[in-house]
Amino acid sequence: FFVPVTIPQAVNTQTALANPNGGTAALPPVTVPPLSITTAALPDNVLTSAYSATVAVQGGNPGATHTFSVSSGTLPNGLTLNAATGTISGTPAVGGTFTFSIQAKDAAIGTQFPQHTTTQAFTIHVVSPLGVTPAALPGGTQGTPYSASISPVGGQPPFTISLLTGSLPTGLNFNNGAITGTPTGTGLASFAVKITDSTNPPQ
């Protein structure tokens, strides 16, 4: 016949030491790695675009569940934090710079494993889509000084503006969006310009 046996869940893998005078010796305190947030930074987001990023943790009580909360500051409007997974998701409706702190807690397991808490500050920039102005550059005259500039619209400064393909008319120079010089020839010049902003990841 079978006798049902209930085995309690183990919370400590150490075994009590035998005491030569009888009984068992008390177990030493158990130490675990400190609970810490391993996510160094959260990505930025483009206004009205869907967002999803997860705050990761390590250490703390082995196998314990975690609870996440916003301990200070506010998330961008339209984003929410999943308290069980640490995932921040949603679609931000308002641009700006948002600084806040995320707190993570693990669950206590018996008396050997008390609860641990850790907190880290984050910043998310919610920016407009990156564009370029003007839509077209003015023409120039051979032998006459020329000046025009290409500028970013939206995005997050600072910006890097570079000549991607093609070439300027002979006599003109390109410096981070500024086109200056005196054209020495005539004709049509075609070129492409690349603008990179400072969002994470960059636009």
Side-chain angles (χ1 to χ4, degrees):
F1 63 95
F2 298 96
V3 177
V5 176
T6 301
I7 301 175
Q9 182 180 5
V11 297
N12 186 351
T13 58
Q14 290 181 313
T15 304
L17 303 176
N19 189 326
N21 297 322
T24 57
L27 290 171
V30 177
T31 58
V32 298
L35 181 66
S36 62
I37 293 175
T38 59
T39 302
L42 292 171
D44 298 322
N45 197 62
V46 177
L47 191 63
T48 71
S49 297
Y51 183 91
S52 181
T54 299
V55 176
V57 296
Q58 70 177 11
N61 292 330
T65 58
H66 297 93
T67 303
F68 299 85
S69 62
V70 179
S71 59
S72 65
T74 56
L75 296 175
N77 296 339
L79 299 188
T80 58
L81 171 68
N82 186 311
T85 65
T87 298
I88 300 172
S89 60
T91 302
V94 178
T97 298
F98 300 84
T99 299
F100 53 90
S101 293
I102 298 294
Q103 184 182 80
K105 296 181 180 180
D106 64 7
I109 305 176
T111 57
Q112 289 280 359
F113 298 95
Q115 186 180 63
H116 302 85
T117 301
T118 185
T119 303
Q120 184 164 316
F122 294 98
T123 297
I124 296 177
H125 300 285
V126 179
V127 300
S128 301
L130 181 62
V132 60
T133 187
L137 293 171
T141 302
Q142 183 182 22
T144 301
Y146 180 90
S147 178
S149 62
I150 297 171
S151 303
V153 176
Q156 174 74 15
F159 303 93
T160 301
I161 308 175
S162 59
L163 193 62
L164 186 63
T165 61
S167 58
L168 298 175
T170 303
L172 298 188
N173 302 303
F174 187 92
N175 182 15
N176 201 36
I179 301 173
T180 57
T182 300
T184 58
T186 61
L188 180 65
S190 297
F191 55 93
V193 168
K194 178 181 179 180
I195 301 179
T196 304
D197 74 353
S198 297
T199 54
N200 174 33
Q203 297 187 80

